[in-house]
Amino acid sequence: MATFLQSTIDKGSDILQDFLCSTCEDKKLDKMADFYCETCVKFYCGKCIGMHSQLFIKHAPYGRGDLKKWPVAKQVEDFLLKCDVHKDKNLELFCDNHIELCCTNCAILNHRHCQKITLISDIVKSQSTDLQQLSVSIQTILKELKKLQDNQEASIQYVQSSYDEQLHKIENTRKEINAALDTIEQKTRKEMLDTLTKLQASTKSEADKCIRLRDELKQLRDAKQDISDKSKQELSFIATRKCEEIIKQSKTFLNSTLQDKFYISFQPNSEIVQYLSTLLGLGKIERMMVQDNPNKVITVQGKSEHNVKVSSDSYECHITAILVLPAKQILVADSNNKKVKLLDQQYQVVSHCSVTGYPLTLCDTTPSEVAVTMNDRNIHEVQFITVNNRQLVIGRKLQFKHACVGIAFHQGDMYITACTALYKYKLNGKLVSKMYEDTSDWNTGKNNC
Protein backbone atom coordinates (compact mmCIF):
# COMPACT_ATOMS: atom_id res chain seq x y z
CA MET A 1 0.00 0.00 0.00
CA ALA A 2 1.51 3.33 -1.06
CA THR A 3 1.92 6.12 1.40
CA PHE A 4 0.27 9.48 0.83
CA LEU A 5 2.78 12.28 1.46
CA GLN A 6 1.33 15.54 2.78
CA SER A 7 3.15 18.70 3.78
CA THR A 8 1.78 22.02 4.87
CA ILE A 9 2.90 25.29 3.33
CA ASP A 10 2.04 28.83 4.43
CA LYS A 11 0.59 27.90 7.81
CA GLY A 12 -1.53 25.09 6.42
CA SER A 13 -3.26 27.18 3.76
CA ASP A 14 -1.82 25.21 0.81
CA ILE A 15 -1.53 21.43 0.85
CA LEU A 16 0.95 19.55 -1.34
CA GLN A 17 -0.27 16.03 -1.88
CA ASP A 18 1.52 13.07 -3.53
CA PHE A 19 2.08 9.33 -3.40
CA LEU A 20 5.27 7.43 -2.64
CA CYS A 21 6.63 4.59 -4.75
CA SER A 22 5.52 1.29 -3.18
CA THR A 23 8.72 -0.56 -4.09
CA CYS A 24 11.00 2.20 -2.76
CA GLU A 25 8.87 2.46 0.36
CA ASP A 26 9.51 -1.23 1.08
CA LYS A 27 13.21 -0.30 1.00
CA LYS A 28 12.47 2.55 3.44
CA LEU A 29 13.08 5.15 0.72
CA ASP A 30 10.76 8.09 0.17
CA LYS A 31 10.50 8.57 -3.57
CA MET A 32 7.60 10.16 -5.42
CA ALA A 33 5.46 7.83 -7.52
CA ASP A 34 5.07 8.54 -11.26
CA PHE A 35 2.80 5.64 -12.15
CA TYR A 36 -0.12 3.70 -10.67
CA CYS A 37 -0.95 0.15 -11.65
CA GLU A 38 -4.60 -0.63 -11.10
CA THR A 39 -3.98 -4.36 -11.46
CA CYS A 40 -1.23 -4.44 -8.83
CA VAL A 41 -2.84 -1.69 -6.78
CA LYS A 42 0.63 -0.19 -6.33
CA PHE A 43 2.56 2.95 -7.17
CA TYR A 44 5.91 3.10 -8.97
CA CYS A 45 8.58 5.72 -9.56
CA GLY A 46 10.22 6.25 -12.97
CA LYS A 47 12.97 3.75 -12.17
CA CYS A 48 10.83 0.96 -10.68
CA ILE A 49 8.21 1.08 -13.46
CA GLY A 50 10.81 -0.38 -15.87
CA MET A 51 11.16 -3.61 -13.88
CA HIS A 52 7.39 -3.76 -13.41
CA SER A 53 6.77 -3.43 -17.16
CA GLN A 54 9.23 -6.25 -17.90
CA LEU A 55 7.56 -8.59 -15.40
CA PHE A 56 3.96 -7.67 -16.18
CA ILE A 57 3.75 -6.94 -19.88
CA LYS A 58 -0.07 -6.93 -20.01
CA HIS A 59 -0.46 -4.43 -17.15
CA ALA A 60 -1.30 -0.87 -18.23
CA PRO A 61 -0.17 1.54 -15.49
CA TYR A 62 -1.45 5.12 -15.43
CA GLY A 63 1.03 7.98 -15.45
CA ARG A 64 0.59 11.42 -13.97
CA GLY A 65 -1.27 12.46 -17.08
CA ASP A 66 -4.09 10.17 -15.92
CA LEU A 67 -4.26 11.27 -12.26
CA LYS A 68 -8.04 11.05 -12.38
CA LYS A 69 -7.66 7.28 -12.67
CA TRP A 70 -5.48 7.12 -9.56
CA PRO A 71 -7.29 6.19 -6.32
CA VAL A 72 -8.45 8.71 -3.75
CA ALA A 73 -5.65 9.25 -1.28
CA LYS A 74 -6.25 7.73 2.13
CA GLN A 75 -5.49 11.03 3.88
CA VAL A 76 -8.12 12.80 1.77
CA GLU A 77 -10.62 10.07 2.50
CA ASP A 78 -9.83 10.22 6.23
CA PHE A 79 -10.04 14.03 6.18
CA LEU A 80 -13.55 13.93 4.69
CA LEU A 81 -14.87 10.96 6.64
CA LYS A 82 -13.59 11.95 10.10
CA CYS A 83 -16.21 13.40 12.46
CA ASP A 84 -15.25 16.91 13.61
CA VAL A 85 -16.50 16.19 17.15
CA HIS A 86 -15.59 12.54 17.66
CA LYS A 87 -12.20 12.22 15.95
CA ASP A 88 -12.13 8.43 16.19
CA LYS A 89 -15.45 8.04 14.36
CA ASN A 90 -16.39 8.27 10.68
CA LEU A 91 -19.36 10.20 9.30
CA GLU A 92 -22.01 7.67 8.33
CA LEU A 93 -25.34 9.46 8.82
CA PHE A 94 -27.13 12.65 7.81
CA CYS A 95 -29.76 14.41 9.96
CA ASP A 96 -32.39 16.12 7.80
CA ASN A 97 -33.82 17.99 10.80
CA HIS A 98 -30.56 19.80 11.56
CA ILE A 99 -29.00 19.42 8.08
CA GLU A 100 -25.89 17.96 9.69
CA LEU A 101 -23.47 15.17 8.97
CA CYS A 102 -23.00 12.94 11.99
CA CYS A 103 -21.30 9.82 13.23
CA THR A 104 -23.00 7.17 15.34
CA ASN A 105 -21.94 8.94 18.54
CA CYS A 106 -23.40 12.26 17.31
CA ALA A 107 -26.64 10.49 16.42
CA ILE A 108 -26.94 9.01 19.91
CA LEU A 109 -25.89 12.12 21.85
CA ASN A 110 -27.40 14.98 19.81
CA HIS A 111 -29.92 13.59 17.33
CA ARG A 112 -31.78 10.86 19.16
CA HIS A 113 -35.02 12.89 19.06
CA CYS A 114 -34.71 13.82 15.38
CA GLN A 115 -37.34 12.36 13.08
CA LYS A 116 -35.21 11.65 10.04
CA ILE A 117 -31.63 10.38 10.18
CA THR A 118 -30.48 8.57 7.04
CA LEU A 119 -27.43 6.55 6.11
CA ILE A 120 -25.19 8.51 3.73
CA SER A 121 -24.78 5.37 1.67
CA ASP A 122 -28.56 5.37 1.08
CA ILE A 123 -28.73 9.09 0.28
CA VAL A 124 -26.07 8.99 -2.44
CA LYS A 125 -28.05 6.31 -4.27
CA SER A 126 -30.71 8.88 -5.14
CA GLN A 127 -28.80 12.19 -4.94
CA SER A 128 -25.86 13.55 -6.88
CA THR A 129 -23.49 16.39 -5.98
CA ASP A 130 -22.47 19.29 -8.22
CA LEU A 131 -18.75 19.56 -7.41
CA GLN A 132 -18.21 22.07 -10.21
CA GLN A 133 -20.69 24.57 -8.77
CA LEU A 134 -19.25 23.92 -5.33
CA SER A 135 -15.81 24.81 -6.66
CA VAL A 136 -17.13 28.12 -7.98
CA SER A 137 -18.69 28.91 -4.59
CA ILE A 138 -15.45 28.07 -2.78
CA GLN A 139 -13.43 30.34 -5.04
CA THR A 140 -15.89 33.20 -4.57
CA ILE A 141 -15.83 32.93 -0.78
CA LEU A 142 -12.04 32.57 -0.74
CA LYS A 143 -11.69 35.82 -2.67
CA GLU A 144 -14.10 37.64 -0.35
CA LEU A 145 -12.34 36.31 2.74
CA LYS A 146 -8.95 37.32 1.36
CA LYS A 147 -10.27 40.80 0.65
CA LEU A 148 -11.65 41.14 4.16
CA GLN A 149 -8.44 39.72 5.66
CA ASP A 150 -6.31 42.24 3.76
CA ASN A 151 -8.60 45.05 4.85
CA GLN A 152 -8.47 44.06 8.52
CA GLU A 153 -4.70 43.60 8.50
CA ALA A 154 -4.33 47.05 6.91
CA SER A 155 -6.66 48.42 9.57
CA ILE A 156 -4.24 47.22 12.27
CA GLN A 157 -1.51 49.41 10.78
CA TYR A 158 -3.91 52.28 10.24
CA VAL A 159 -5.05 52.34 13.84
CA GLN A 160 -1.41 52.13 14.97
CA SER A 161 -0.62 55.17 12.85
CA SER A 162 -3.54 57.09 14.31
CA TYR A 163 -2.43 56.04 17.77
CA ASP A 164 1.04 57.48 17.16
CA GLU A 165 -0.43 60.70 15.79
CA GLN A 166 -2.81 61.20 18.69
CA LEU A 167 -0.10 60.32 21.17
CA HIS A 168 1.79 63.34 19.87
CA LYS A 169 -1.23 65.48 20.79
CA ILE A 170 -1.11 64.10 24.30
CA GLU A 171 2.54 65.02 24.61
CA ASN A 172 1.91 68.58 23.34
CA THR A 173 -0.97 69.00 25.76
CA ARG A 174 1.12 67.62 28.61
CA LYS A 175 3.74 70.37 28.08
CA GLU A 176 1.18 72.97 29.18
CA ILE A 177 0.61 71.25 32.49
CA ASN A 178 2.93 71.20 35.50
CA ALA A 179 4.65 68.19 37.01
CA ALA A 180 1.71 67.46 39.33
CA LEU A 181 -0.14 65.90 36.35
CA ASP A 182 2.18 62.89 36.05
CA THR A 183 -0.30 60.52 37.62
CA ILE A 184 -3.17 61.76 35.46
CA GLU A 185 -1.03 61.44 32.34
CA GLN A 186 -0.34 57.80 33.10
CA LYS A 187 -4.07 57.12 33.47
CA THR A 188 -4.71 58.71 30.08
CA ARG A 189 -1.90 56.78 28.40
CA LYS A 190 -3.24 53.54 29.84
CA GLU A 191 -6.74 54.32 28.60
CA MET A 192 -5.43 55.00 25.11
CA LEU A 193 -3.27 51.89 25.13
CA ASP A 194 -6.24 49.80 26.26
CA THR A 195 -8.26 51.27 23.41
CA LEU A 196 -5.50 50.39 20.95
CA THR A 197 -5.17 46.88 22.34
CA LYS A 198 -8.91 46.24 22.10
CA LEU A 199 -9.09 47.60 18.56
CA GLN A 200 -6.12 45.57 17.38
CA ALA A 201 -7.29 42.44 19.19
CA SER A 202 -10.76 42.72 17.66
CA THR A 203 -9.41 43.31 14.16
CA LYS A 204 -6.78 40.57 14.46
CA SER A 205 -9.44 38.14 15.67
CA GLU A 206 -11.42 38.76 12.50
CA ALA A 207 -8.30 38.48 10.35
CA ASP A 208 -7.42 35.18 12.06
CA LYS A 209 -10.94 33.91 11.41
CA CYS A 210 -10.52 34.84 7.74
CA ILE A 211 -7.33 32.76 7.66
CA ARG A 212 -9.03 29.80 9.36
CA LEU A 213 -12.04 29.84 7.04
CA ARG A 214 -9.81 30.21 4.00
CA ASP A 215 -7.61 27.33 5.14
CA GLU A 216 -10.63 25.09 5.65
CA LEU A 217 -12.09 26.01 2.28
CA LYS A 218 -8.77 25.40 0.53
CA GLN A 219 -8.43 22.02 2.18
CA LEU A 220 -11.94 21.09 1.09
CA ARG A 221 -11.25 22.43 -2.39
CA ASP A 222 -8.12 20.28 -2.67
CA ALA A 223 -9.98 17.29 -1.34
CA LYS A 224 -12.81 17.86 -3.80
CA GLN A 225 -10.40 18.01 -6.70
CA ASP A 226 -8.83 14.74 -5.61
CA ILE A 227 -12.16 12.87 -5.58
CA SER A 228 -13.52 14.37 -8.82
CA ASP A 229 -14.60 11.78 -11.41
CA LYS A 230 -13.68 8.86 -9.16
CA SER A 231 -17.23 7.67 -8.43
CA LYS A 232 -16.76 8.26 -4.73
CA GLN A 233 -20.35 9.31 -4.12
CA GLU A 234 -20.15 9.14 -0.34
CA LEU A 235 -17.01 11.28 -0.29
CA SER A 236 -18.60 13.69 -2.76
CA PHE A 237 -21.67 14.02 -0.60
CA ILE A 238 -19.60 14.55 2.55
CA ALA A 239 -17.33 17.03 0.78
CA THR A 240 -20.38 18.92 -0.46
CA ARG A 241 -21.94 19.13 2.96
CA LYS A 242 -18.70 20.21 4.60
CA CYS A 243 -18.11 22.83 1.92
CA GLU A 244 -21.65 24.14 2.23
CA GLU A 245 -21.26 24.45 6.00
CA ILE A 246 -17.95 26.36 5.73
CA ILE A 247 -19.43 28.53 2.97
CA LYS A 248 -22.43 29.24 5.18
CA GLN A 249 -20.13 30.18 8.08
CA SER A 250 -18.05 32.35 5.76
CA LYS A 251 -21.06 34.19 4.35
CA THR A 252 -22.44 34.81 7.84
CA PHE A 253 -19.03 36.06 8.95
CA LEU A 254 -18.66 38.30 5.89
CA ASN A 255 -22.15 39.74 6.35
CA SER A 256 -21.70 40.39 10.07
CA THR A 257 -18.21 41.89 9.98
CA LEU A 258 -17.72 45.62 9.61
CA GLN A 259 -15.07 46.37 7.00
CA ASP A 260 -14.65 49.98 8.04
CA LYS A 261 -11.38 51.26 9.47
CA PHE A 262 -11.11 52.84 12.88
CA TYR A 263 -8.66 55.29 14.31
CA ILE A 264 -7.99 56.55 17.79
CA SER A 265 -8.69 60.17 18.56
CA PHE A 266 -7.55 62.15 21.55
CA GLN A 267 -9.46 65.38 22.20
CA PRO A 268 -7.58 67.72 24.54
CA ASN A 269 -9.54 69.73 27.08
CA SER A 270 -8.79 73.46 26.61
CA GLU A 271 -9.86 74.23 30.18
CA ILE A 272 -7.74 71.52 31.74
CA VAL A 273 -5.60 73.92 33.81
CA GLN A 274 -8.66 75.50 35.43
CA TYR A 275 -10.39 72.26 36.18
CA LEU A 276 -7.32 70.16 36.92
CA SER A 277 -8.50 69.03 40.33
CA THR A 278 -11.70 67.50 38.94
CA LEU A 279 -10.30 65.67 35.91
CA LEU A 280 -9.64 61.94 35.64
CA GLY A 281 -7.67 62.13 32.41
CA LEU A 282 -6.00 64.48 29.93
CA GLY A 283 -8.83 64.18 27.46
CA LYS A 284 -11.31 61.88 25.84
CA ILE A 285 -10.14 58.70 24.14
CA GLU A 286 -12.44 57.50 21.39
CA ARG A 287 -12.45 54.86 18.72
CA MET A 288 -13.42 56.59 15.50
CA MET A 289 -14.69 55.01 12.31
CA VAL A 290 -13.09 56.12 9.06
CA GLN A 291 -15.82 57.56 6.88
CA ASP A 292 -14.76 56.08 3.55
CA ASN A 293 -18.33 56.40 2.32
CA PRO A 294 -20.48 58.76 4.41
CA ASN A 295 -23.52 57.94 2.26
CA LYS A 296 -23.30 54.21 2.93
CA VAL A 297 -26.75 52.77 3.67
CA ILE A 298 -27.31 49.81 5.98
CA THR A 299 -30.16 47.69 4.70
CA VAL A 300 -32.10 44.80 6.20
CA GLN A 301 -31.36 41.62 4.25
CA GLY A 302 -34.51 39.82 5.35
CA LYS A 303 -36.75 38.82 8.21
CA SER A 304 -38.49 35.71 9.48
CA GLU A 305 -41.20 34.88 11.97
CA HIS A 306 -41.02 32.11 14.57
CA ASN A 307 -43.52 30.73 17.06
CA VAL A 308 -42.12 30.72 20.62
CA LYS A 309 -45.36 29.80 22.39
CA VAL A 310 -45.12 26.95 24.91
CA SER A 311 -47.91 24.76 26.24
CA SER A 312 -48.07 26.56 29.61
CA ASP A 313 -48.59 30.00 28.03
CA SER A 314 -51.98 31.50 28.81
CA TYR A 315 -51.80 34.44 26.44
CA GLU A 316 -50.47 35.39 23.05
CA CYS A 317 -46.73 35.96 23.19
CA HIS A 318 -45.57 39.57 23.40
CA ILE A 319 -41.80 39.76 22.92
CA THR A 320 -40.40 42.91 24.55
CA ALA A 321 -36.67 42.06 24.35
CA ILE A 322 -34.25 39.79 22.48
CA LEU A 323 -30.67 39.05 23.53
CA VAL A 324 -27.99 36.88 21.89
CA LEU A 325 -25.27 35.61 24.23
CA PRO A 326 -21.65 35.07 23.05
CA ALA A 327 -22.36 31.33 22.71
CA LYS A 328 -25.11 32.16 20.15
CA GLN A 329 -27.87 31.33 22.63
CA ILE A 330 -30.98 33.45 22.10
CA LEU A 331 -33.12 34.73 24.95
CA VAL A 332 -36.49 36.47 24.60
CA ALA A 333 -38.65 38.23 27.17
CA ASP A 334 -42.34 37.30 26.84
CA SER A 335 -44.14 40.02 28.78
CA ASN A 336 -47.71 38.75 28.45
CA ASN A 337 -46.86 35.33 29.91
CA LYS A 338 -44.29 36.64 32.44
CA LYS A 339 -41.57 34.35 31.08
CA VAL A 340 -38.03 34.40 29.79
CA LYS A 341 -37.42 31.82 27.05
CA LEU A 342 -34.23 30.27 25.69
CA LEU A 343 -34.11 29.44 21.97
CA ASP A 344 -31.68 27.32 19.99
CA GLN A 345 -30.20 28.44 16.68
CA GLN A 346 -33.29 27.09 14.88
CA TYR A 347 -35.41 29.41 17.10
CA GLN A 348 -37.02 26.53 18.95
CA VAL A 349 -37.76 26.99 22.66
CA VAL A 350 -35.43 24.68 24.62
CA SER A 351 -36.02 26.12 28.10
CA HIS A 352 -38.14 28.76 29.82
CA CYS A 353 -38.73 30.13 33.30
CA SER A 354 -41.43 32.23 34.92
CA VAL A 355 -40.71 35.54 36.64
CA THR A 356 -42.68 37.52 39.19
CA GLY A 357 -43.37 40.60 37.05
CA TYR A 358 -43.76 41.60 33.42
CA PRO A 359 -40.27 41.31 31.86
CA LEU A 360 -39.32 44.31 29.73
CA THR A 361 -35.61 44.33 28.86
CA LEU A 362 -32.58 42.04 28.96
CA CYS A 363 -28.83 42.58 29.22
CA ASP A 364 -25.91 40.20 29.75
CA THR A 365 -23.66 40.62 32.80
CA THR A 366 -21.41 37.62 32.01
CA PRO A 367 -21.22 35.30 28.98
CA SER A 368 -23.79 33.04 30.66
CA GLU A 369 -25.79 35.37 32.96
CA VAL A 370 -28.49 37.89 32.06
CA ALA A 371 -30.37 40.55 34.01
CA VAL A 372 -34.09 41.08 33.40
CA THR A 373 -36.09 44.17 34.38
CA MET A 374 -39.59 43.41 35.69
CA ASN A 375 -42.54 45.51 36.75
CA ASP A 376 -46.04 44.93 38.07
CA ARG A 377 -48.34 46.83 40.45
CA ASN A 378 -46.00 46.74 43.42
CA ILE A 379 -43.05 45.01 41.77
CA HIS A 380 -39.94 46.83 40.52
CA GLU A 381 -37.20 44.25 40.26
CA VAL A 382 -34.16 43.00 38.38
CA GLN A 383 -33.99 39.22 38.11
CA PHE A 384 -30.69 37.47 37.32
CA ILE A 385 -30.89 34.27 35.24
CA THR A 386 -28.07 31.89 34.32
CA VAL A 387 -27.89 29.74 31.19
CA ASN A 388 -26.47 26.36 32.18
CA ASN A 389 -26.36 23.43 29.76
CA ARG A 390 -29.29 24.72 27.67
CA GLN A 391 -31.37 25.35 30.79
CA LEU A 392 -32.43 28.61 32.45
CA VAL A 393 -31.63 28.79 36.16
CA ILE A 394 -33.24 31.50 38.34
CA GLY A 395 -30.70 33.36 40.45
CA ARG A 396 -30.68 36.34 42.81
CA LYS A 397 -33.12 39.23 42.58
CA LEU A 398 -32.83 42.94 43.36
CA GLN A 399 -35.78 45.13 44.39
CA PHE A 400 -36.11 48.86 43.75
CA LYS A 401 -38.45 51.67 44.76
CA HIS A 402 -38.72 53.03 41.22
CA ALA A 403 -39.88 51.42 37.98
CA CYS A 404 -37.30 49.21 36.25
CA VAL A 405 -37.62 49.58 32.50
CA GLY A 406 -34.38 49.72 30.52
CA ILE A 407 -31.12 48.12 31.68
CA ALA A 408 -27.49 48.03 30.51
CA PHE A 409 -24.27 46.66 32.00
CA HIS A 410 -20.93 48.44 31.59
CA GLN A 411 -17.62 48.00 33.40
CA GLY A 412 -19.14 46.31 36.43
CA ASP A 413 -22.08 48.71 36.89
CA MET A 414 -25.78 48.54 36.02
CA TYR A 415 -27.62 51.41 34.37
CA ILE A 416 -31.37 51.26 34.92
CA THR A 417 -33.96 53.62 33.49
CA ALA A 418 -37.26 54.48 35.07
CA CYS A 419 -39.94 56.44 33.20
CA THR A 420 -38.30 59.80 33.94
CA ALA A 421 -34.81 59.04 35.25
CA LEU A 422 -31.55 57.14 34.72
CA TYR A 423 -29.84 55.44 37.68
CA LYS A 424 -26.40 53.90 38.11
CA TYR A 425 -26.12 50.90 40.45
CA LYS A 426 -23.53 48.41 41.57
CA LEU A 427 -24.29 44.76 40.83
CA ASN A 428 -25.26 44.26 44.47
CA GLY A 429 -28.03 46.86 44.10
CA LYS A 430 -26.23 49.75 45.80
CA LEU A 431 -27.14 53.10 44.27
CA VAL A 432 -24.16 55.00 42.86
CA SER A 433 -26.00 58.02 41.52
CA LYS A 434 -29.09 59.33 39.80
CA MET A 435 -27.50 60.37 36.52
CA TYR A 436 -30.49 62.03 34.88
CA GLU A 437 -34.05 63.06 35.65
CA ASP A 438 -36.69 65.00 33.75
CA THR A 439 -40.15 65.16 35.30
CA SER A 440 -41.65 67.51 32.72
CA ASP A 441 -43.60 64.59 31.26
CA TRP A 442 -44.55 61.03 32.20
CA ASN A 443 -42.07 59.31 29.87
CA THR A 444 -39.07 61.59 29.43
CA GLY A 445 -36.76 58.58 29.72
CA LYS A 446 -38.09 57.36 26.35
CA ASN A 447 -39.07 54.02 27.82
CA ASN A 448 -41.92 51.59 27.46
CA CYS A 449 -43.71 52.99 30.55
Side-chain angles (χ1 to χ4, degrees):
M1 185 70 178
T3 298
F4 177 79
L5 183 64
Q6 174 174 309
S7 62
T8 302
I9 303 175
D10 189 18
K11 298 182 180 178
S13 60
D14 297 315
I15 297 179
L16 176 65
Q17 303 171 341
D18 218 327
F19 294 88
L20 294 179
C21 172
S22 304
T23 304
C24 292
E25 186 183 7
D26 292 339
K27 300 176 183 178
K28 302 196 180 301
L29 299 174
D30 291 341
K31 195 167 184 180
M32 296 293 183
D34 298 309
F35 297 89
Y36 169 68
C37 179
E38 191 173 30
T39 306
C40 299
V41 195
K42 287 188 176 182
F43 297 85
Y44 299 96
C45 63
K47 181 179 180 180
C48 295
I49 193 64
M51 181 62 70
H52 169 272
S53 298
Q54 291 178 19
L55 295 174
F56 306 101
I57 299 175
K58 294 184 179 181
H59 289 195
Y62 299 116
R64 288 193 171 271
D66 294 316
L67 278 177
K68 290 183 178 181
K69 297 180 180 179
W70 289 31
V72 175
K74 185 177 184 304
Q75 275 76 359
V76 173
E77 189 170 346
D78 290 343
F79 165 67
L80 292 173
L81 286 175
K82 185 182 296 183
C83 176
D84 293 335
V85 179
H86 307 98
K87 304 298 183 182
D88 59 335
K89 294 288 184 179
N90 285 345
L91 297 167
E92 301 176 15
L93 305 162
F94 182 73
C95 175
D96 284 271
N97 298 92
H98 293 93
I99 316 178
E100 287 182 4
L101 298 162
C102 51
C103 66
T104 52
N105 282 8
C106 291
I108 295 172
L109 296 173
N110 304 321
H111 301 274
R112 60 180 180 275
H113 298 302
C114 297
Q115 297 179 348
K116 188 175 181 182
I117 299 180
T118 313
L119 284 168
I120 295 175
S121 57
D122 291 338
I123 294 177
V124 298
K125 293 177 182 177
S126 58
Q127 292 186 22
S128 60
T129 54
D130 188 352
L131 295 178
Q132 182 63 35
Q133 182 58 41
L134 196 62
S135 178
V136 173
S137 299
I138 289 175
Q139 288 302 115
T140 301
I141 294 298
L142 282 172
K143 289 180 181 178
E144 293 180 11
L145 285 170
K146 183 61 169 64
K147 182 180 178 181
L148 176 58
Q149 177 190 338
D150 292 343
N151 183 76
Q152 300 301 71
E153 289 175 346
S155 181
I156 294 175
Q157 299 301 319
Y158 191 86
V159 74
Q160 178 67 56
S161 176
S162 67
Y163 168 78
D164 296 337
E165 181 180 344
Q166 301 307 314
L167 187 60
H168 183 64
K169 282 188 179 180
I170 293 178
E171 293 168 349
N172 288 339
T173 303
R174 182 64 182 88
K175 292 177 182 179
E176 301 174 5
I177 304 171
N178 60 40
L181 292 175
D182 286 344
T183 302
I184 297 177
E185 182 188 8
Q186 292 305 315
K187 290 181 180 180
T188 307
R189 284 176 175 271
K190 184 178 183 303
E191 183 184 357
M192 178 170 278
L193 185 58
D194 289 345
T195 303
L196 171 67
T197 302
K198 290 177 182 178
L199 279 172
Q200 289 184 325
S202 175
T203 307
K204 187 177 185 306
S205 174
E206 292 175 347
D208 289 344
K209 189 167 184 179
C210 287
I211 294 172
R212 179 182 66 78
L213 290 171
R214 291 184 68 241
D215 289 349
E216 292 180 12
L217 278 173
K218 285 186 176 182
Q219 281 188 300
L220 288 168
R221 178 196 62 192
D222 294 341
K224 175 196 69 59
Q225 291 173 348
D226 195 271
I227 64 174
S228 296
D229 302 327
K230 293 184 179 177
S231 301
K232 290 288 184 175
Q233 295 298 320
E234 291 187 21
L235 292 180
S236 296
F237 179 84
I238 293 172
T240 298
R241 291 301 176 187
K242 285 194 171 186
C243 287
E244 289 175 346
E245 178 59 27
I246 298 300
I247 290 172
K248 179 181 177 182
Q249 292 179 24
S250 300
K251 287 182 177 180
T252 300
F253 175 61
L254 288 166
N255 290 333
S256 63
T257 302
L258 290 175
Q259 300 190 31
D260 300 293
K261 297 184 181 70
F262 295 89
Y263 66 92
I264 299 173
S265 174
F266 172 75
Q267 300 296 330
N269 188 335
S270 61
E271 299 177 338
I272 192 169
V273 176
Q274 299 177 39
Y275 299 102
L276 182 60
S277 60
T278 62
L279 295 178
L280 297 177
L282 291 177
K284 186 177 182 181
I285 306 297
E286 295 179 320
R287 49 180 287 175
M288 308 295 290
M289 184 181 296
V290 177
Q291 297 296 326
D292 289 332
N293 180 10
N295 297 318
K296 183 189 227 178
V297 177
I298 298 175
T299 58
V300 177
Q301 297 295 325
K303 69 174 184 177
S304 59
E305 295 184 4
H306 303 276
N307 184 7
V308 294
K309 188 177 181 67
V310 296
S311 59
S312 58
D313 288 346
S314 303
Y315 306 99
E316 181 181 352
C317 297
H318 176 55
I319 305 303
T320 54
I322 300 175
L323 177 67
V324 181
L325 292 177
K328 306 301 182 184
Q329 298 153 312
I330 306 166
L331 289 98
V332 296
D334 182 356
S335 181
N336 281 357
N337 294 291
K338 294 185 178 180
K339 289 178 181 174
V340 174
K341 300 175 180 178
L342 176 65
L343 314 181
D344 60 19
Q345 293 187 27
Q346 284 72 46
Y347 306 102
Q348 300 297 310
V349 180
V350 295
S351 180
H352 60 86
C353 62
S354 298
V355 291
T356 53
Y358 295 101
L360 292 180
T361 54
L362 302 163
C363 80
D364 53 328
T365 56
T366 73
S368 61
E369 182 185 67
V370 299
V372 188
T373 58
M374 305 179 299
N375 292 278
D376 207 337
R377 291 182 180 179
N378 298 312
I379 295 176
H380 309 300
E381 299 173 341
V382 171
Q383 176 70 63
F384 292 88
I385 300 174
T386 301
V387 180
N388 185 8
N389 195 24
R390 290 167 61 93
Q391 294 295 317
L392 296 180
V393 181
I394 294 289
R396 60 198 176 88
K397 183 165 56 179
L398 301 176
Q399 297 180 338
F400 301 90
K401 294 181 180 180
H402 57 77
C404 298
V405 186
I407 187 169
F409 179 75
H410 179 64
Q411 295 183 350
D413 296 320
M414 290 188 302
Y415 297 82
I416 301 175
T417 60
C419 296
T420 59
L422 168 63
Y423 299 88
K424 179 179 180 180
Y425 286 95
K426 292 295 184 183
L427 270 178
N428 60 7
K430 181 181 179 181
L431 177 65
V432 177
S433 65
K434 180 189 289 186
M435 302 180 66
Y436 168 88
E437 184 173 27
D438 182 356
T439 58
S440 62
D441 202 348
W442 66 280
N443 189 22
T444 55
K446 303 298 182 184
N447 295 299
N448 185 21
C449 292

